[in-house]
Amino acid sequence: MTNRDVDAVIVGAGFSGLYATHRLRNVQGLTVQCFEAGEGPGGVWYWNKYPGARCDFESIYYSYTFDEALQREWRWTERFAAQPEILAYLNHVADRFDLRRSFRFNTRVTSAVWNEETNRWTVRSDDGSVTTARFFINAAGAFSVFKKNDFPGQDDFHGTVLHTSQWPAEGVDLTGKRVAVIGTGSTGIQVIQTIAPQVGELTVFQRTPNFACPLGNRPLTDEDFAQAVADFSRNRQESRNSIAGAPYPRAVRSALMDTPEERRKVYDEFYNGGGFRMITSSYYDLIFNPVANATAADFIREQIRERVHDPKLAELLCPNDHPYGVKRATFEINYFEAFNLPHVHLVDARTTPIVRITEKGIATTDHEYEFDVIVLATGFDVGAGALARMGVIGRGGRKLTDHWAHGQRAYLGMATHGFPNLFHINGPQSAAALFNNPLAIEDSVDFVGDLIGYLDSHGHTAAEVTDLAEDRYNELVREVADATLFPTATTWYMGDNIPGKPRTPLSLFTGAPMYRAICAEVETTGYAGFSFDGENRPLSSLIKLDGSAVFFLAGLQNMGAKPLEDCTLEEARAAMESFKLMQLPVADDVSIVDARYPIDGGHRKVRLYRPPIEGPLPVVVFYHGGGWIGGSLDLYDEPCATLARRVGAVVVSPDYRLAPEHPFPAATDDAVAAVRWAADHITEFGGDPERIAVAGESAGANLAAVVALRLRDEGGPQLRAQVLITPPVDFLADTESRRQFPHGPIISMELAMRMASLYLGDPANAVSPHASPARAEDLSGLPSALVVTMEIDPTRDEAENYAQALATAGVPTVCRRIDRLCHTAFELSGAIPRAAEIHTAIAEFLTPLLSAQRAATEPALG
Ligand code: N01
């Protein structure tokens, strides 16, 4: 066999390998050598020829989009195509783009070693050839290594044992046979429902029942196809930007917003709509809220009970040990009805586990069953199982298997530290597990192709993810998983299905849009987190951001929520109010009363929060955020009640006038009036007028800072402290954080500028210290200050500069930067548990300053 030197070695001829070959060779003009263990193209669709194998995304979506003509000319015959048709499609693609000539089929890669002197991979294969290449592309797929040797005694069996992924191409005649199927995942369900009518006796060994929902397959009509072709561009765009990569309706409501009757209607529609709709389109909180999830789980169990005649059998088929949707969703075609056939039996392999395979069949802990054929539908060593077996050795002689000893991990699912120029197509920790695979593959290949183009155009030899970036991404994947219910089940998603495999999330559970946003940000920031010939690029913001915040932002994207900067005023206000859904419940031992305070020409509402503590209590006048144009008392009920409890103070939350109806200085006048009213009236509410602090978040923090200045200059009342959470303090600031985080998250600079202009009215107001307190000439004599900033926030630096200016002016000042959080975290306590750190910082700061013992004039902090 001849040895070759090429630009790239590609392993695998499935959806990934074929597109990678097309993109790198046909589009980018690289030389490639591709290897495939099978005798032809197809990958997972080549190997999995078991009866009933078919896709579970509609084929018009579960296919390539990179070539419009290809999409138009391939006429799928069914809504969800069966394996032979998908295999034929992939063969067609191989021919149409002349890909076969780059492949060596029937050939396995046996080792791949990085040569640090030549900066090339040396790849050996079982045909004896040696190929050297600059890039090594792992397109072997997540499901290429099947689970083996689960049961002792397999060789003793006198009948036939078949793993579903090793099904003979010529098929197996099961007519009249006694058949066992072990496993009821996606594969087992497809096999069982397909062979049930043919076989003599079918015995299903089920360890964990699944929440299988109807697939909804049917022939694809000419009308369906014409519609798909007409909508091709729109579908492509919409698919990529929706949670699972298909243009299904978006879930925009919580399951807990609807009555049971309303929920039933929704579930009926999406359960019967087929495919992933039940999980992607019904309610957005199914994957993170156990109470919401239970409503869907109950609905599906009801369907099972209706469809299976024998109530005992129905109960055995009802999943009870995990939430719905956190094991890979499974789909069925008359699966449950198969159990109504007299010759189909179910063995509960959880209460009576399989002990071994015997000469005659299968022995469980209480019985020996006799069979002619045993079908193992027991799954795969999911992730980069194939690559782990290829003897991959990177920089410094490090084995990939050692690198992954504590769990498979890859930056963006594509790159591994210590293995330069090795790229995985949807490797471990990509988002592909929840993302229509052909699209996920195109995205991943395109990212790698672009990265290779970047290397060349910038004269770099090698790209490698930094240690820091790989660690942080791995942590992010875990944090996101922890924000969901996925870790509560034992699944291959978490690596649980292989005994001894370290438990680690093998997927980023954000849905496709956030994963794509992360990759896009990495790319547009010059491949953040990569090292090019030893030059390290810093991390990008979304990767630094706390996983719970990333998951929250992903939820907004999955719903199709408009960015605030694209909203009308009314939409922006409504969007801000919706954040209330993401808060912890309001502490129920805090009493809440509404009152009114006078402003120029009228009154406004003020809400008081009092914890269950003997008074008189200190007072915190708190101004809500909302960019001076939105926000409300209701939205801040939870943060104010929590503040009252944590500080042991009466919190006074005034409803101040908003722009643009009431531009500057209306809000500041109201903010001052509220403190004056509190000083005069707070004793009626159990507060101590001698111990008042002001506080606020975002625009509210700006108001708190302005109030501190104005009360100093306008004769009091005297304040003990000011707490400024993420305050914008200078409308004209030109800071590094503004440049670093122009897109936020949540508050982009575009949005900030728009809100500022509505608030300021006349742009000249920007220089007023009552709008931009950082522009005050004299900051001395102000009350002690706590400035809380978030690491990933455009307002961070102006706030920290202000803290510095206060301290320089002699104001006792504490500045706390909370790492990895973003603007508005304070009001998202339910979504972002680390928001509690802000309350802790405030309580630590205010409690001593507001204590009854401390005189108002005593310096608080050194
Ligand atoms: O494998 P699985 P799969 N004793 O791991 C059981 C994709 N796919 O081949 O749940 C007894 O999901 C195991 O039980 P438990 C899809 O992504 C897609 O079905 O671990 N039972 C489980 O029931 C899918 O998720 C399509 O308790 C044992 C089953 O075997 C992935 O491939 C079609 C056992 C394994 O389920 C893998 O699906 C098919 C033991 N020792 C597959 N060991 C499409 O439609 C395992 N089990 C596109």
Side-chain angles (χ1 to χ4, degrees):
M1 190 49 73
T2 43
N3 296 339
R4 283 190 77 191
D5 181 64
V6 290
D7 293 318
V9 158
I10 299 172
V11 185
F15 270 100
S16 302
L18 293 179
Y19 180 55
T21 305
H22 171 66
R23 165 79 204 235
L24 297 188
R25 193 198 72 188
N26 295 351
V27 179
Q28 289 183 234
L30 303 185
T31 54
V32 298
Q33 177 60 62
C34 313
F35 295 97
E36 164 58 52
E39 61 187 9
V44 82
W45 295 107
Y46 166 87
W47 294 102
N48 287 271
K49 301 183 179 89
Y50 61 84
R54 65 175 69 244
C55 60
D56 52 19
F57 277 98
E58 284 90 334
S59 296
I60 50 173
Y61 311 134
Y62 188 86
S63 43
Y64 290 122
T65 66
F66 69 86
D67 187 278
E68 203 156 331
L70 168 67
Q71 175 95 355
R72 287 176 195 285
E73 77 200 11
W74 186 266
R75 172 66 169 87
W76 296 102
T77 63
E78 291 181 274
R79 194 177 176 209
F80 297 91
Q83 176 268 339
E85 193 172 358
I86 303 173
L87 186 61
Y89 169 77
L90 290 170
N91 274 282
H92 168 72
V93 170
D95 292 333
R96 193 182 193 290
F97 297 96
D98 186 24
L99 304 175
R100 283 179 207 270
R101 66 182 164 87
S102 291
F103 277 88
R104 261 184 235 159
F105 293 107
N106 295 309
T107 309
R108 276 184 194 278
V109 168
T110 52
S111 77
V113 179
W114 176 251
N115 182 329
E116 285 174 63
E117 274 163 27
T118 58
N119 279 329
R120 295 183 94 71
W121 286 94
T122 303
V123 179
R124 292 174 198 279
S125 45
D126 63 3
D127 58 358
S129 69
V130 179
T131 310
T132 47
R134 190 167 157 218
F135 302 105
F136 183 52
I137 313 291
N138 165 30
F143 301 104
S144 47
V145 177
F146 70 93
K147 227 179 135 197
K148 283 184 197 151
N149 304 328
D150 254 342
F151 312 105
Q154 224 162 285
D155 294 339
D156 303 340
F157 183 51
H158 286 167
T160 310
V161 181
L162 292 165
H163 191 281
T164 46
S165 71
Q166 303 291 299
W167 207 267
E170 64 281 10
V172 182
D173 184 7
L174 298 174
T175 316
K177 300 247 166 69
R178 295 167 305 166
V179 180
V181 176
I182 305 176
T184 52
S186 303
T187 304
I189 287 172
Q190 290 185 333
V191 174
I192 292 160
Q193 67 200 14
T194 307
I195 66 172
Q198 307 160 11
V199 299
E201 293 284 327
L202 175 60
T203 306
V204 175
F205 291 81
Q206 169 193 272
R207 190 163 65 183
T208 310
N210 256 307
F211 287 102
C213 294
L215 182 66
N217 191 32
R218 57 174 167 72
L220 195 74
T221 64
D222 287 342
E223 206 184 345
D224 293 333
F225 187 69
Q227 177 78 44
V229 168
D231 289 348
F232 177 59
S233 304
R234 189 180 57 84
N235 277 340
R236 171 199 290 222
Q237 189 59 18
E238 212 177 303
S239 295
R240 289 204 142 82
N241 293 313
S242 67
I243 181 165
Y248 301 146
R250 290 170 194 272
V252 293
R253 290 175 67 75
S254 156
L256 307 179
M257 284 171 164
D258 282 352
T259 63
E261 295 69 34
E262 288 165 339
R263 273 200 299 266
R264 167 164 288 281
K265 262 190 171 169
V266 169
Y267 288 144
D268 261 334
E269 177 187 348
F270 292 119
Y271 177 82
N272 293 309
F276 282 84
R277 288 170 180 77
M278 177 76 181
I279 187 84
T280 60
S281 306
S282 60
Y283 296 109
Y284 66 73
D285 46 357
L286 300 187
I287 59 163
F288 65 87
N289 182 332
V291 182
N293 189 287
T295 65
D298 285 345
F299 174 88
I300 299 171
R301 282 190 285 262
E302 259 179 54
Q303 307 307 307
I304 297 172
R305 290 183 190 115
E306 271 174 29
R307 292 171 58 183
V308 178
H309 298 159
D310 174 350
K312 267 197 190 151
L313 190 55
E315 267 338 288
L316 274 180
L317 287 163
C318 281
N320 275 309
D321 71 344
H322 61 277
Y324 163 60
V326 301
K327 263 174 113 73
R328 164 60 154 82
T330 53
F331 302 96
E332 48 85 26
I333 304 171
N334 294 328
Y335 171 69
F336 292 108
E337 285 72 11
F339 290 91
N340 295 331
L341 298 171
H343 65 282
V344 177
H345 318 288
L346 185 69
V347 173
D348 179 0
R350 179 158 307 227
T351 48
T352 57
I354 297 169
V355 178
R356 59 178 294 117
I357 292 180
T358 64
E359 281 180 18
K360 294 181 187 161
I362 294 174
T364 66
T365 47
D366 81 338
H367 192 74
E368 183 178 0
Y369 299 83
E370 296 188 12
F371 299 111
D372 304 311
V373 179
I374 296 173
V375 177
L376 303 176
T378 44
F380 299 85
D381 179 357
V382 185
L387 193 70
R389 286 162 171 76
M390 277 179 215
V392 178
I393 297 178
R395 233 177 354 92
R398 185 155 170 80
K399 289 184 182 158
L400 187 60
T401 42
D402 290 342
H403 188 72
W404 282 345
H406 301 293
Q408 292 181 3
R409 39 152 67 189
Y411 183 57
L412 311 174
M414 291 191 261
T416 304
H417 178 66
F419 297 82
N421 287 1
L422 161 58
F423 302 117
H424 316 284
I425 305 307
N426 289 318
Q429 302 190 328
S430 73
L434 306 185
F435 185 0
N436 176 15
N437 263 248
L439 266 58
I441 284 164
E442 287 178 337
D443 280 357
S444 184
V445 168
D446 288 343
F447 183 95
V448 169
D450 289 349
L451 176 53
I452 290 173
Y454 180 90
L455 275 170
D456 287 342
S457 61
H458 288 73
H460 298 301
T461 314
E464 178 185 340
V465 61
T466 65
D467 205 4
L468 176 75
E470 186 182 283
D471 276 356
R472 175 57 206 143
Y473 183 76
N474 178 46
E475 200 178 37
L476 175 70
V477 168
R478 285 168 186 275
E479 289 168 355
V480 169
D482 287 343
T484 71
L485 298 174
F486 285 101
T488 65
T490 46
T491 65
W492 64 251
Y493 283 154
M494 299 295 298
D496 295 319
N497 69 326
I498 302 295
K501 190 166 173 172
R503 185 163 218 253
T504 196
L506 287 170
S507 177
L508 178 74
F509 296 124
T510 54
M514 174 51 79
Y515 173 72
R516 300 185 75 237
I518 290 172
C519 292
E521 189 187 65
V522 166
E523 190 162 348
T524 53
T525 49
Y527 294 96
F530 280 91
S531 172
F532 294 98
D533 300 330
E535 177 215 321
N536 293 356
R537 304 282 156 95
L539 296 181
S540 60
S541 2
L542 286 171
I543 286 184
K544 272 196 209 157
L545 194 59
D546 186 89
S548 62
V550 169
F551 185 66
F552 167 73
L553 296 169
L556 295 180
Q557 290 176 326
N558 293 336
M559 279 185 215
K562 272 195 214 173
L564 288 172
E565 54 269 28
D566 295 344
C567 289
T568 63
L569 179 64
E570 287 320 307
E571 286 170 342
R573 286 177 174 167
M576 289 181 200
E577 288 308 300
S578 71
F579 286 7
K580 196 169 168 63
L581 291 167
M582 293 296 150
Q583 295 173 346
L584 293 171
V586 176
D588 55 11
D589 56 353
V590 172
S591 69
I592 304 177
V593 292
D594 283 348
R596 279 147 58 86
Y597 72 102
I599 60 162
D600 203 16
H603 283 86
R604 290 195 74 82
K605 199 193 267 187
V606 59
R607 189 164 287 171
L608 296 101
Y609 304 79
R610 192 179 193 290
I613 306 173
E614 284 278 305
L617 299 177
V619 181
V620 178
V621 180
F622 179 89
Y623 307 104
H624 68 73
W628 304 275
I629 61 154
S632 69
L633 301 192
D634 289 348
L635 176 59
Y636 279 73
D637 273 340
E638 184 278 325
C640 286
T642 305
L643 187 63
R645 280 176 112 230
R646 295 293 308 270
V647 178
V650 179
V651 170
V652 176
S653 172
D655 180 31
Y656 55 85
R657 284 172 289 172
L658 298 179
E661 296 87 342
H662 304 282
F664 176 83
T668 61
D669 290 342
D670 295 357
V672 167
V675 181
R676 297 210 166 114
W677 173 84
D680 293 343
H681 294 273
I682 204 66
T683 45
E684 298 159 31
F685 300 93
D688 178 354
E690 298 300 316
R691 292 185 283 153
I692 300 182
V694 288
E697 187 214 7
S698 189
N702 165 283
L703 295 179
V706 171
V707 165
L709 275 173
R710 283 188 55 182
L711 293 185
R712 178 197 65 180
D713 300 339
E714 296 172 16
Q718 195 169 18
L719 299 173
R720 282 218 181 172
Q722 53 179 323
V723 173
L724 315 178
I725 308 162
T726 59
V729 283
D730 184 355
F731 284 99
L732 304 175
D734 177 20
T735 59
E736 179 56 30
S737 60
R738 285 188 178 207
R739 286 187 291 277
Q740 212 180 339
F741 312 115
H743 306 298
I746 300 191
I747 304 292
S748 67
M749 284 316 299
E750 186 187 338
L751 175 67
M753 290 303 151
R754 200 166 307 163
M755 293 191 302
S757 114
L758 292 175
Y759 172 56
L760 293 173
D762 180 352
N765 288 326
V767 296
S768 162
H770 292 175
S772 296
R775 294 194 167 251
E777 277 176 16
D778 177 14
L779 295 176
S780 64
L782 288 172
S784 303
L786 168 67
V787 178
V788 183
T789 62
M790 305 294 136
E791 182 185 0
I792 302 168
D793 179 1
T795 69
R796 182 193 70 196
D797 291 353
E798 67 198 83
E800 292 180 358
N801 293 344
Y802 188 58
Q804 184 60 51
L806 286 168
T808 305
V811 176
T813 302
V814 174
C815 186
R816 266 295 308 279
R817 181 192 284 193
I818 313 262
D819 69 342
R820 303 199 289 104
L821 288 194
C822 59
H823 212 84
T824 63
F826 184 63
E827 66 201 77
L828 296 168
S829 54
I832 304 179
R834 285 187 56 219
E837 291 177 28
I838 306 171
H839 282 290
T840 302
I842 299 172
E844 284 172 6
F845 173 78
L846 279 185
T847 308
L849 280 175
L850 293 181
S851 83
Q853 283 72 41
R854 183 183 288 277
T857 50
E858 193 182 329
L861 304 150

